[in-house]
Amino acid sequence: GENVEQHPSTLSVQEGDSAVIKCTYSDSASNYFPWYKQELGKGPQLIIDIRSNVGEKKDQRIAVTLNKTAKHFSLHITETQPEDSAVYFCAASDAGTALIFGKGTTLSVSS
Amino acid sequence: NAGVTQTPKFRILKIGQSMTLQCTQDMNHNYMYWYRQDPGMGLKLIYYSVGAGITDKGEVPNGYNVSRSTTEDFPLRLELAAPSQTSVYFCASSYGSRAGNTIYFGEGSWLTVV
């Protein structure tokens, strides 16, 4: 089955810096790669996603890149702000039902 | 704008007790899911349902049961609670399972088994 590895587990940046979180997946059949943000005491919320027929997708300060050959995808946050502090999860899914999640990255943005 | 609603928010159980985590969604989604989240371990799928009357096991189903009698409700039953079931439980739903269908999560239920 699918296995998703996520790095780093913790990331501390200064406000205004960029943050990059990387994930690798094992199943070449996976074709959907969402990123979720989880704030303290809340459920995860989708922030951006990418399908396997696209190499990059951007939404304001957030971008995701996908390298299908290498089986890895990354989340890029530019001009970080304190409200970006949260736990971020990557996930991968084939055409089936289950999303397989990475273990999460705790991002801390200090002002 | 209720979305996915879970109850209770917090619960302490004694070893061997049973309980049901309730989940309801008002988005008319066909698919519903139960995940558990342990510190540093991400989210693991326990059970899922593709529609009323249909359920299937996920990655970690042992010690749990589910039912789906209506589109809106998807309760998770813990029988004979064990300390290993101490976790945060998230119910979620989506319109379908095809790639690109957003999964919406509830706010979580914190369960401690002592």
Side-chain angles (χ1 to χ4, degrees), chain A residues 31-32 36 38 41-46 49 51 89 93-104, chain B residues 9 31 33 35 37 40-43 45 48 50 59 90 97-103 105-107 110:
Chain A
N31 56 12
Y32 175 59
Y36 283 81
Q38 185 179 27
K42 302 286 187 181
Q45 280 198 305
L46 180 73
D49 58 11
R51 295 186 179 88
F89 291 97
S93 171
D94 58 17
T97 300
L99 272 180
I100 304 299
F101 285 84
K103 293 184 178 180
Chain B
K9 185 88 170 178
Y31 286 71
Y33 315 83
Y35 285 89
Q37 183 179 27
M41 295 300 293
L43 294 114
L45 183 65
Y48 66 96
V50 303
E59 303 169 85
F90 288 98
S97 73
R98 291 183 307 164
N101 280 304
T102 302
I103 292 182
F105 286 86
E107 299 223 320
W110 273 252

Side-chain angles (χ1 to χ4, degrees), chain A residues 19-22 35 47-48 62-64 73-77 88:
Chain A
V20 180
I21 303 170
K22 299 181 180 182
W35 285 89
I47 55 171
I48 195 168
I62 294 173
V64 58
F73 56 112
S74 301
L75 178 71
H76 305 253
I77 306 175
Y88 291 82

Side-chain angles (χ1 to χ4, degrees), chain B:
Chain B
N1 255 21
V4 179
T5 304
Q6 298 179 229
T7 56
K9 185 88 170 178
F10 301 97
R11 181 73 186 268
I12 297 174
L13 272 183
K14 293 185 178 178
I15 294 172
Q17 286 186 320
S18 300
M19 75 159 296
T20 299
L21 297 176
Q22 302 291 344
C23 176
T24 188
Q25 53 91 9
D26 62 358
M27 296 175 281
N28 201 32
H29 285 168
N30 294 322
Y31 286 71
M32 296 188 75
Y33 315 83
W34 274 105
Y35 285 89
R36 62 176 285 173
Q37 183 179 27
D38 300 305
M41 295 300 293
L43 294 114
K44 299 290 187 182
L45 183 65
I46 304 171
Y47 269 96
Y48 66 96
S49 169
V50 303
I54 306 170
T55 63
D56 209 346
K57 296 178 180 178
E59 303 169 85
V60 289
N62 292 344
Y64 306 95
N65 279 301
V66 294
S67 59
R68 185 94 181 271
S69 57
T70 66
T71 299
E72 296 79 19
D73 300 307
F74 190 41
L76 177 72
R77 177 92 178 153
L78 280 74
E79 305 281 4
L80 299 174
S84 61
Q85 293 178 303
T86 294
S87 190
V88 184
Y89 292 84
F90 288 98
C91 181
S93 71
S94 65
Y95 181 70
S97 73
R98 291 183 307 164
N101 280 304
T102 302
I103 292 182
Y104 296 86
F105 286 86
E107 299 223 320
S109 297
W110 273 252
L111 177 66
T112 301
V113 181
V114 295

